[in-house]
Amino acid sequence: MNDQRRYVVIGGGLAGLASAVWLAEAGRQVTLLERRGRLGGRTHALEVAQLHDVPDNGQHVIASGYDHLFRYLTSIGTREHVTFPHSGVLRWPGGRATTMGTKGFQALRSLLGAHPDASAADRARAALATVRMGWQCLNQPADLADLTTDQWFRRLGMPPTAREALWDWLALGIAAEPVRQESAKVFADVLATGIRLGVKHRRAVSIGYPTTDLDTLFVTGAQRLFERTGVQVRHRAVARRILVRDGAVTGVLLADGETVPADAVVCAVPNSTLGGLLDELPEHDEIYSAADKLGFTPIVSTNLYLDRPLGTEGAMEALIGGAGVIDQVFDRQRMHGRDTEHGWLYCLTTSGAYAQIHKPSHEVVDEQMALLRRYYPAAAGAKVLHAQVVPMPRATFSQVVGTDGLRPAQRTSVPTLVLAGDWTRTDWSATMESAAQSAARAVELLLALPAPRTAAAR
Ligand SMILES: Cc1cc2nc3c(=O)[nH]c(=O)nc-3n(C[C@H](O)[C@H](O)[C@H](O)COP(=O)(O)OP(=O)(O)OC[C@H]3O[C@@H](n4cnc5c(N)ncnc54)[C@H](O)[C@@H]3O)c2cc1C
């Protein structure tokens, strides 16, 4: 491949990393600009030096239908670090727990209501509502975009037991918004993607998790590939504006005044930091307005090191009816096989954390410990050895009612300028797969550009 064009990728999160990796694999000359001193964006490891441990900024789960993310992991050689357990655990206050199968007959049982108190009539109603839901995902009612997920569930006649044991927390997990705010269409679109992928792969989509920290999973393999293929990575390079002349990209202006020359650009920054970058793109007003309306939603993650085990039954446990929004507890001993010399690490995730996001860390830790004591009898006398609260006010773009149809495509009116990032238009909600799929589409557009004319041809 003798393409001398300079490809610049802005943003070193998953979308930017995947774009740079795939452009480099295609033999292109790539420069990656990242405003921070590290790569990984919203998925990264956090070192706790005194405990010799490396938890993450937030536990990330992975659906088996994340085809583009798996392509990325295969490219960087870390696919082996993701596993799919056969079951998850639902836990109620007082310690009562039930296992939710994710494969085969057990998965079907979960779908029809894994709630231990569900009556036969509940299960029959759940079955009917689930079939109706599947049908409406693929043949969406005209007013779905005007409904919250909560309103849609009511209209479908989903019984409270099935909602409590599955649908409400799944909806929250998928769009990081409580069901009373979340757009039913966003949820239905993701379910439709899951159904299509299930048919394609001939198995239901299930949920898995990384068996290593997020830097090892997403970043170090990419760095090795960058070294091998000559990708130039520039840290603390803050892009201010993408320069466009006569309908083509010419460079990227940095905050320090330097211009990085470019013949093609992948703009892979989140909607919250887009301002100014696209000023020279004719349709910038429309994209900025969409980016603003998409807004953001908070997630609070807490890494708790305890002096004893909680007595979990699974690696991932959903706390039902917890703090108003569903909390999830991830047992890093089970997930990573970590040793417990420095305590037992539990990672808690609170999605749609509007109530928690502004609280000081010690209050969040107190609340989380009180929650654990309600759900795990073994937590009664547990001591916190170390705690790390990671508030992420702009964790993902928001997917409340009214956000449908806002997400811009990867293609722009300037063929050499493409967009990527979880918030651009994909088959998924704000997920790592959305970031990876957007990158695949962005790179495909750039690789399809006609080859530059050679001097002889001119
Ligand atoms: C706590 C938490 C839990 C989550 N859990 C899950 C989960 O379980 N499953 C799942 O699939 N997804 C989950 N997500 C969502 C997932 O992490 C994101 O969707 C995905 O990582 C977004 O990747 P991205 O590349 O689009 O954006 P980012 O990761 O935000 O990357 C953008 C990069 O661009 C850089 N940048 C911004 N502006 C500039 C500029 N002007 N110049 C240069 N660089 C710039 C940023 O520093 C950043 O590195 C979670 C997110 C959070 C925060």
Side-chain angles (χ1 to χ4, degrees), residues 176-219:
E177 289 287 0
V179 287
R180 284 193 179 76
Q181 288 172 216
E182 180 188 278
S183 160
K185 179 153 176 43
V186 167
F187 185 55
D189 284 346
V190 174
L191 288 189
T193 298
I195 294 170
R196 288 193 192 100
L197 285 168
V199 171
K200 181 176 151 198
H201 297 309
R202 291 166 193 256
R203 65 185 144 79
V205 173
S206 60
I207 305 291
Y209 54 80
T211 54
T212 183
D213 66 88
L214 291 175
D215 280 2
T216 306
L217 186 66
F218 292 131
V219 179

Side-chain angles (χ1 to χ4, degrees), residues 14-26:
L14 270 178
L17 286 171
S19 301
V21 161
W22 291 328
L23 284 168
E25 277 183 342

Side-chain angles (χ1 to χ4, degrees), residues 176-178 181 296-298 325 350-358 398 400:
E177 289 287 0
Q181 288 172 216
F296 27 81
T297 179
V325 288
T350 309
S351 299
Y354 294 98
Q356 290 81 5
I357 195 72
H358 299 298
S398 176
V400 294

